[in-house]
């Protein structure tokens, strides 16, 4: 069985010296300096044909990039787009949104991707 988090970590972590985290930054690492990435699975739709389950899901993930400036954040998000499309078969880049995180005072880009995952 393949898990989206297992797929994402080796793709994302080298871009931020290992500072890529599923869902949230663990409390013991709360003082992580930028850049860092937080990623999460936001939905999974089963792949069915008539009355048969094909043991795959079309998974949608959100990847949030945090950095000190919007320019640095955008450059890192461009690297993520390239890495995702190069390393995951049938990966689709869906959207990117430029944000500001008031809690950390950091620039943030939020991106959505979709890809198939085998469940067998």
């Amino acid at each position: 069985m393949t898990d989206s988090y297992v797929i994402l970590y080796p793709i994302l972590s080298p871009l931020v010296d290992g500072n890529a985290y599923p869902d949230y930054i663990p409390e013991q690492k709360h003082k992580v300096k930028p850049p860092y990435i937080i990623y999460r699975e936001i939905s999974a739709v089963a792949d069915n044909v008539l009355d048969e389950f094909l043991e795959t899901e079309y998974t949608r993930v959100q990847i949030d990039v945090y950095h000190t400036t919007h320019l640095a954040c955008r450059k890192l998000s461009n690297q993520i787009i390239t890495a995702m499309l190069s390393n995951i078969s049938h990966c689709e880049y869906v959207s990117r949104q430029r944000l500001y995180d008031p809690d950390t005072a950091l620039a943030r880009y939020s991106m959505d991707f979709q890809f198939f995952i085998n469940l067998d």
Side-chain angles (χ1 to χ4, degrees):
M1 181 166 153
T2 305
D3 182 71
S4 62
Y5 289 12
V6 172
I7 293 169
L8 293 172
Y9 184 78
I11 294 169
L12 301 174
S13 66
L15 301 173
V16 288
D17 296 324
N19 289 324
Y21 305 97
D23 298 321
Y24 61 92
I25 296 177
E27 195 169 310
Q28 67 270 19
K29 297 187 179 204
H30 234 304
K31 302 293 182 194
V32 173
K33 294 182 181 181
Y36 58 89
I37 296 169
I38 299 174
Y39 55 96
R40 65 192 55 81
E41 188 175 300
I42 55 176
S43 69
V45 178
D47 194 14
N48 297 311
V49 176
L50 296 176
D51 63 347
E52 187 177 354
F53 174 56
L54 298 179
E55 297 184 10
T56 59
E57 288 180 339
Y58 201 50
T59 302
R60 187 172 185 145
V61 297
Q62 178 181 330
I63 300 173
D64 292 334
V65 181
Y66 296 82
H67 215 313
T68 52
T69 69
H70 278 291
L71 180 58
C73 202
R74 183 162 183 93
K75 287 179 180 178
L76 180 55
S77 70
N78 288 343
Q79 292 174 337
I80 290 168
I81 292 166
T82 299
M84 292 287 290
L85 296 177
S86 299
N87 290 292
I88 300 176
S89 297
H90 309 292
C91 183
E92 179 184 349
Y93 165 55
V94 178
S95 66
R96 173 169 53 185
Q97 183 179 16
R98 178 179 163 163
L99 303 162
Y100 172 76
D101 187 63
D103 294 337
T104 61
L106 293 173
R108 174 181 161 211
Y109 271 78
S110 184
M111 298 174 288
D112 287 356
F113 294 88
Q114 307 184 128
F115 51 89
F116 279 106
I117 291 183
N118 257 343
L119 298 176
D120 57 359

